Amino acid sequence: MQNVPSGERSLADAVARYIRHTQELYDSREWMNVRCALARLVPYARWNKQSWRRALDCLEIEYDLSPQYRRVVWARWLRFLRWAVEHEETSAQLLVEVSAFRATFRAFAVGLGRGEPFDDLTSFEPTKTTREPLSFTVISNILPSLPKLTRDVVSLLAFTGARPSDVLRLRSCDIDQSSDPWLARPAFHKTAHRGLPRVIVLPPSAQHIIDRRLTPFTPQDWIFPAPKDPRRPCTTSTIAQALARAQNRLKSQRFTLYDLRRRAAQLVRQVEGLDVAQVLLGHTSSRTTELYAPRRDELSAHLATVLEREVRL
């Protein structure tokens, strides 16, 4: 067995204890995000200021990750360090010194190659790529080629605009059939650890899909169980891989599971406005909804024509 310095071993042990702590603390998959973030810390850091500075430097130049995600990783590192100080794993002096670091997470230059940051953000003009909008004809054409479970999930995402993980972690007891339309209140969703509720509206077409998979005698069972282990829910990667294989066979337009959510948000915003799209997606902030369904300025000419036709002065 390779010899590991005692400082690294103690930090790795503290990370393992902290992950177990977060796994018990959160009902959602947040502890897995914490584990991924701290896995980037362990190879570089020990219980001293210099190693944490080196770990931060390595994180800053990891241009394959977005600047926003690197900021989140750094925040989780600091949260772990505060926990370590509270549990007397290290000294408070280290927390003071590390908290004084000022991280700068910058993007890489598109077209210059990965790992080559650009300095002048004002003079750089990234290459704009046009992407063909997703149409429901593309979705309906590929549905017959999908496995039954994948076909149901893709159809449900198109009808509801929900997150793939929220749909895949639904149980029979989460479905409220007394309302019209049906409502799904998943206990396991992205913001469950913050105590925020999540409600997914199920129109009649979605109800037909859910009704075939309900297990009223075992309400705690997953509606979409994993193919090889029914005790676990099916994962997003399993559905995404099945969708990608079908797209490769048919050589059809490529789209992801989140493209379905984005397309649903765009349609709802065009018809009902930003507030309704925000409710559909389950966002607490309309700024997040803007990322999925940005405002379409080209509609202003059409709206002006409508006003001219309707307003009579």
Side-chain angles (χ1 to χ4, degrees), residues 241-260:
Q241 290 170 8
L243 177 61
R245 286 194 294 266
Q247 291 170 341
N248 291 334
R249 287 196 306 269
L250 300 178
K251 297 182 179 179
S252 64
Q253 178 185 343
R254 300 297 297 267
F255 65 90
T256 65
L257 298 179
Y258 259 85
D259 286 335
L260 300 170

Side-chain angles (χ1 to χ4, degrees), residues 2 11 55 203 208 285:
Q2 185 179 3
L11 186 139
H208 179 69
S285 172

Side-chain angles (χ1 to χ4, degrees), residues 5-72:
S6 59
E8 281 192 14
R9 185 184 300 114
S10 60
L11 186 139
D13 292 342
V15 166
R17 289 193 293 272
Y18 180 68
I19 291 174
R20 288 195 295 270
H21 166 73
T22 55
Q23 188 173 5
E24 297 172 355
L25 181 64
Y26 297 117
D27 294 332
S28 64
R29 297 167 64 91
E30 173 64 17
W31 70 272
M32 300 184 68
N33 299 329
V34 172
R35 182 180 63 181
C36 292
L38 295 179
R40 301 178 182 276
L41 171 68
V42 173
Y44 302 104
R46 301 182 184 178
W47 295 122
N48 58 69
K49 174 184 177 181
Q50 292 75 18
S51 65
W52 279 76
R53 178 73 256 185
R54 183 174 66 253
L56 177 58
D57 292 340
C58 294
L59 182 64
E60 286 180 331
I61 63 176
E62 199 165 353
Y63 298 110
D64 287 341
L65 304 176
S66 67
Q68 181 179 1
Y69 180 72
R70 282 178 278 163
R71 293 189 192 98
V72 172

Side-chain angles (χ1 to χ4, degrees), residues 142-170:
I142 202 172
L143 285 179
S145 303
L146 296 175
K148 187 176 181 180
L149 186 145
T150 305
R151 182 168 63 248
D152 288 349
V153 172
V154 170
S155 301
L156 201 58
L157 293 177
F159 287 130
T160 62
R163 298 184 184 92
S165 58
D166 292 352
V167 169
L168 292 174
R169 294 173 69 84
L170 283 175

Side-chain angles (χ1 to χ4, degrees), residues 234-307:
C234 188
T235 62
T236 306
S237 60
T238 300
I239 303 299
Q241 290 170 8
L243 177 61
R245 286 194 294 266
Q247 291 170 341
N248 291 334
R249 287 196 306 269
L250 300 178
K251 297 182 179 179
S252 64
Q253 178 185 343
R254 300 297 297 267
F255 65 90
T256 65
L257 298 179
Y258 259 85
D259 286 335
L260 300 170
R261 175 172 168 84
R262 189 174 294 107
R263 182 57 175 157
Q266 293 169 356
L267 287 176
V268 171
R269 176 164 186 177
Q270 291 175 19
V271 178
E272 299 293 341
L274 179 62
D275 292 340
V276 179
Q278 179 181 347
V279 174
L280 173 75
L281 300 184
H283 291 153
T284 56
S285 172
S286 60
R287 296 176 61 184
T288 308
T289 310
E290 289 277 3
L291 301 177
Y292 287 81
R295 186 178 63 182
R296 295 182 59 188
D297 293 332
E298 66 271 15
L299 293 177
S300 58
H302 172 68
L303 296 176
T305 305
V306 172
L307 285 175

